[in-house]
């Protein structure tokens, strides 16, 4: 266990790390949304598609062959896990600080 005086800085650093990951996650989500919007546009303007089911299938095909989209999805998954781990670490530090603070009284 670390010294009581070191916890505030460690907690702030862990919170900053979680926020940074969240920021990266939002940027990737924006990129994913852009790819999906482009796929929707492609499907919407193909005149030979007769109904929503055909347009959804075409949208899926467009996204399936887009390597950048696939990389973005993989990055989104990785960042989601990283964020969950960062938040868990932050809560762990907060709980450790709480226990250490209670024991020092």
């Amino acid at each position: 266990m670390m010294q009581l005086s070191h916890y505030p800085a460690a907690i702030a650093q862990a919170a900053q790390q979680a926020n940074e990951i969240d920021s990266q996650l939002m940027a990737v989500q924006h990129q994913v949304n852009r790819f999906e919007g482009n796929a929707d546009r492609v499907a919407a303007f193909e005149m030979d598609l007769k109904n929503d089911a055909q347009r959804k299938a075409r949208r899926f095909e467009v996204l399936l062959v887009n390597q950048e989209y696939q990389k973005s999805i993989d990055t989104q998954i990785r960042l989601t896990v990283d964020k969950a781990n960062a938040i868990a670490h932050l809560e762990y530090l907060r709980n450790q600080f709480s226990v250490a603070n209670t024991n020092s009284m």
Side-chain angles (χ1 to χ4, degrees):
M1 209 177 241
M2 72 175 86
Q3 292 180 11
L4 195 58
S5 62
H6 293 156
Y7 277 102
I11 289 169
Q13 183 179 9
Q16 184 176 5
Q17 179 66 26
N19 288 338
E20 176 60 31
I21 293 170
D22 193 44
S23 175
Q24 293 172 11
L25 190 55
M26 286 189 295
V28 169
Q29 182 60 51
H30 179 72
Q31 201 171 27
V32 166
N33 290 344
R34 197 172 63 240
F35 288 131
E36 290 175 347
N38 284 338
D40 288 339
R41 184 183 47 78
V42 167
F45 290 103
E46 288 191 11
M47 297 303 167
D48 53 326
L49 301 177
K50 295 177 176 63
N51 57 42
D52 281 343
Q54 289 179 343
R55 280 187 278 286
K56 285 180 185 178
R58 178 64 179 135
R59 176 187 189 271
F60 179 74
E61 289 172 353
V62 169
L63 292 173
L64 195 60
V65 298
N66 185 334
Q67 294 300 315
E68 291 299 313
Y69 175 76
Q70 298 302 322
K71 284 184 206 175
S72 294
I73 292 296
D74 291 343
T75 301
Q76 186 179 36
I77 292 167
R78 180 184 52 79
L79 287 172
T80 299
V81 170
D82 290 351
K83 180 182 172 185
N85 289 335
I87 290 171
H89 179 67
L90 174 60
E91 289 305 313
Y92 173 76
L93 287 173
R94 286 177 176 162
N95 290 336
Q96 266 193 325
F97 177 68
S98 179
V99 168
N101 197 29
T102 301
N103 290 339
S104 70
M105 291 181 176

